[in-house]
Amino acid sequence: MTIDEGRRVAGDDSGAPDVAGLQRRLAEFARARDWGQYHTPKNLVTAIGVEAAELAEIFQWLTPEQSARVMDEEESAHRVRDEVADVLAYLLQFCEVLGVDPLAALSDKIDRNEIRFPVT
């Protein structure tokens, strides 16, 4: 694997990571540690819930105003970024195990919601 694989979208100069590359990196990380045996749909979806709860915990007792400013302080911003990364990592691994294209699933869901909730 090259150093840039999973870190940049092919043909994209923005430096944005691509989903498939990130999924490959996560799979290789787990494979190298023999963690694949634990990456069942049940375990991964449970991990998503746990990590989402850890993200929610950061905001639990904040006022709406404080929560809007959580990224202003480096310590809390770092915690938010770490928990977002954990949720996304487990979600991408979950999608990989089940063969779900997360971007296609999201696009399809937006399409359905546009029909379900039309602008009035």
Side-chain angles (χ1 to χ4, degrees):
M1 177 183 313
T2 65
I3 192 95
D4 284 340
E5 189 175 352
R7 297 176 194 255
R8 299 176 63 98
V9 175
D12 181 359
D13 292 331
S14 72
D18 73 290
V19 172
L22 290 171
Q23 286 176 306
R24 283 189 300 274
R25 289 180 65 198
L26 288 165
E28 179 54 37
F29 184 89
R31 191 172 22 263
R33 291 155 181 80
D34 197 27
W35 290 352
Q37 61 186 320
Y38 307 112
H39 287 189
T40 64
K42 179 195 75 72
N43 288 351
L44 291 167
V45 79
T46 300
I48 292 167
V50 169
E51 296 300 340
E54 290 180 11
L55 179 59
E57 182 182 33
I58 296 167
F59 295 87
Q60 184 173 8
W61 303 114
L62 301 181
T63 66
E65 297 78 16
Q66 290 170 322
S67 70
R69 295 188 311 271
V70 76
M71 298 305 286
D72 293 347
E73 296 180 24
E74 185 49 41
E75 182 180 337
S76 59
H78 178 75
R79 289 180 60 213
V80 168
R81 286 190 299 270
D82 273 358
E83 296 307 333
V84 165
D86 288 343
V87 171
L88 183 56
Y90 283 122
L91 180 59
L92 291 177
Q93 290 173 90
F94 177 78
C95 290
E96 179 73 16
V97 165
L98 291 181
V100 173
D101 177 337
L103 298 182
L106 177 57
S107 180
D108 291 347
K109 181 66 174 187
I110 293 169
D111 290 345
R112 288 191 304 278
N113 282 343
E114 288 173 338
I115 294 166
R116 185 174 174 200
F117 304 104
V119 176
T120 56

